[in-house]
Amino acid sequence: MKKRAASAVLSATLAASMVLGTTAFAEEEDNVIKIGVICSMTGGSAVYGEGAQNAIDLAVEEINSSDSEYKVEIVNGGKVVDDATDAKQAINAYNSVMSEGPEAVVGCFFSSVTLPIAEQAANDGMLLLATGATNKDVTLKGETIFRNCFIDPYQGKMAAQFVKEQGWEKAAVIYAKDDDYSNGLKDAFIENAEANGIEVVYIGECTTKDTDFSSQASQAVANGADFVYYPCFLDTVPLLVSAVRDAGFTGAIMGGDGWDGSDTSGMEDYFDNCYFTNHYSSEDTAPAVANFVSKYTEAYGTESLNACAALYYDAIYMLVQAAENGGGSDTASLVKGMTGMEFTGVGGTFSLDENGDALKAVAINTYEDGQVKWMMTLSPEGEKTE
């Protein structure tokens, strides 16, 4: 503060004490990280937003009651702002949190709404820590953009590695042609499947609005597939699995992290021999996972205990570590501290590469009686934990 004192008779001692007091206050304020949080809070993806809000609340409570040098304040009264899974609404959500002067923004969970936010955040010089946005282009928008999830090409690669390890030889791929997420996983899977000696015997198209998959299912069976890859989101997963099983297919069916939270009720037998790659498993025995799952379940139950919750939880702790690494809670210090970070959390131990992408292990989940079960975790080096 550079205002001159009105009185010319203020002593040097008093002036010095005022300066020291102001400096001390500024330093105290600098230890509070103001964060804006965005996720899908309404519509068919509301379960993700519910998990994000609960995880944010849990992380903030833990951090602010600890002896951490840095504390956390979530703008918008502590509430996650809704992106409504819509690009235009996402920008409105971003502008809303930006009006409250955050030092960092966390979100979003879907690539389609994160991409426009990432571009705007890069223009604003704002740190954006994306969570479930796996599109490879997200972090390429600028040097202030990071994420704590893996990217689509890597997820597709790990799915192909899993298929090879299980000994399946003929794959059918059914993907949503109108969805970037589905296209990204499809392309990476096919490239790596062929490199691993897996024959892709059928590639079938659908859209995100389709409800009838009988034709694609019949083609997969007719072409002799022993494995079906369906990298689409949870709302159509039960329809696809039902169609493939009704077509007489008894082999393996697999998807990506978009399967997390799929409704298996009444279809428990259909989901036997089904799998999906994910950012973590609640059954992982790692201490960080067990601690998170225990506290989350005690406070909120298990219905919204999904990967989205785990990613948002880790994101808050990553920003605290970034402040420690960078020596301050301002955006520039956070960006400095986030760059090249090595972090251990619910999503495992990982580092951020030169693009700000997380190099991390992938959890492979399966189903037993319709319930998600952890099968194994595959590391970037191909090592597995079971």
Side-chain angles (χ1 to χ4, degrees):
M1 185 173 177
K2 295 184 178 180
K3 282 187 178 180
R4 291 184 178 273
S7 173
V9 297
L10 282 177
S11 69
T13 302
L14 178 58
S17 67
M18 290 179 65
V19 172
L20 289 172
T22 304
T23 302
F25 178 75
E27 288 177 352
E28 180 180 347
E29 287 293 296
D30 200 39
N31 287 352
V32 177
I33 310 168
K34 292 183 66 175
I35 305 170
V37 185
I38 307 171
C39 193
S40 300
M41 304 299 295
T42 53
S45 301
V47 66
Y48 293 131
E50 181 182 353
Q53 183 69 70
N54 292 340
I56 291 292
D57 291 344
L58 181 59
V60 171
E61 180 183 358
E62 290 174 353
I63 293 165
N64 290 350
S65 63
S66 73
D67 60 359
S68 171
E69 176 184 0
Y70 292 94
K71 305 303 181 183
V72 174
E73 176 190 343
I74 306 299
V75 304
N76 192 43
K79 298 300 181 182
V80 176
V81 181
D82 186 18
D83 62 37
T85 325
D86 175 81
K88 182 177 180 180
Q89 179 57 33
I91 289 295
N92 292 337
Y94 172 79
N95 290 335
S96 175
V97 300
M98 284 295 288
S99 69
E100 297 193 46
E103 278 96 20
V105 176
V106 171
C108 303
F109 190 61
F110 295 105
S111 297
S112 60
V113 291
T114 307
L115 282 165
I117 289 179
E119 185 169 353
Q120 187 60 53
N123 290 338
D124 294 340
M126 174 53 56
L127 189 158
L128 177 70
L129 178 53
T131 51
T134 54
N135 186 292
K136 63 182 178 61
D137 292 334
V138 168
T139 54
L140 301 181
K141 296 296 183 180
E143 295 181 355
T144 63
I145 315 301
F146 305 86
R147 68 177 126 209
N148 64 353
C149 60
F150 43 65
I151 62 176
D152 290 337
Y154 177 69
Q155 185 174 192
K157 174 184 177 181
M158 297 301 278
Q161 179 178 316
F162 174 71
V163 173
K164 180 182 180 181
E165 290 189 355
Q166 295 302 305
W168 300 315
E169 299 177 342
K170 296 184 177 182
V173 179
I174 303 171
Y175 74 102
K177 62 182 180 181
D178 59 338
D179 179 57
D180 288 342
Y181 167 83
S182 191
N183 275 274
L185 267 69
K186 176 262 296 183
D187 290 343
F189 175 80
I190 291 175
E191 177 184 350
N192 286 278
E194 293 174 343
N196 284 319
I198 301 162
E199 182 183 2
V200 178
V201 296
Y202 170 70
I203 301 175
E205 294 181 346
C206 63
T207 74
T208 54
K209 304 298 183 183
D210 285 352
T211 57
D212 183 357
F213 300 92
S214 56
S215 176
Q216 296 94 327
S218 296
Q219 288 294 318
V221 173
N223 282 279
D226 58 7
F227 172 84
V228 172
Y229 191 52
Y230 183 66
C232 296
F233 287 110
L234 75 167
D235 53 342
T236 60
V237 168
L239 300 174
L240 181 284
V241 171
S242 177
V244 172
R245 294 297 187 221
D246 286 343
F249 185 76
T250 58
I253 309 173
M254 188 175 191
D257 60 314
W259 278 41
D260 192 21
S262 296
D263 185 6
T264 65
S265 56
M267 299 178 57
E268 290 82 0
D269 291 345
Y270 279 37
F271 274 84
D272 288 348
N273 203 19
C274 285
Y275 311 85
F276 65 96
T277 48
N278 208 3
H279 305 276
Y280 99 118
S281 170
S282 61
E283 294 189 327
D284 193 324
T285 55
V289 178
N291 179 66
F292 168 70
V293 170
S294 175
K295 290 184 177 180
Y296 189 102
T297 302
E298 181 179 358
Y300 311 110
T302 60
E303 188 172 350
S304 60
L305 180 59
N306 47 41
C308 181
L311 289 163
Y312 275 80
Y313 179 86
D314 275 354
I316 301 302
Y317 274 96
M318 287 177 71
L319 287 171
V320 172
Q321 183 172 318
E324 295 169 349
N325 293 349
S329 64
D330 61 287
T331 301
S333 295
L334 293 174
V335 170
K336 177 183 177 183
M338 187 72 69
T339 302
M341 173 186 287
E342 293 188 1
F343 178 81
T344 298
V346 180
T349 297
F350 58 89
S351 59
L352 299 183
D353 68 11
E354 65 277 8
N355 292 327
D357 295 329
L359 301 174
K360 63 193 303 185
V362 174
I364 306 292
N365 291 327
T366 186
Y367 296 85
E368 291 182 12
D369 298 324
Q371 299 298 309
V372 175
K373 296 293 181 182
W374 176 52
M375 182 178 182
M376 67 175 69
T377 296
L378 292 175
S379 73
E381 297 76 28
E383 299 175 352
K384 62 181 179 181
T385 303
E386 297 178 302

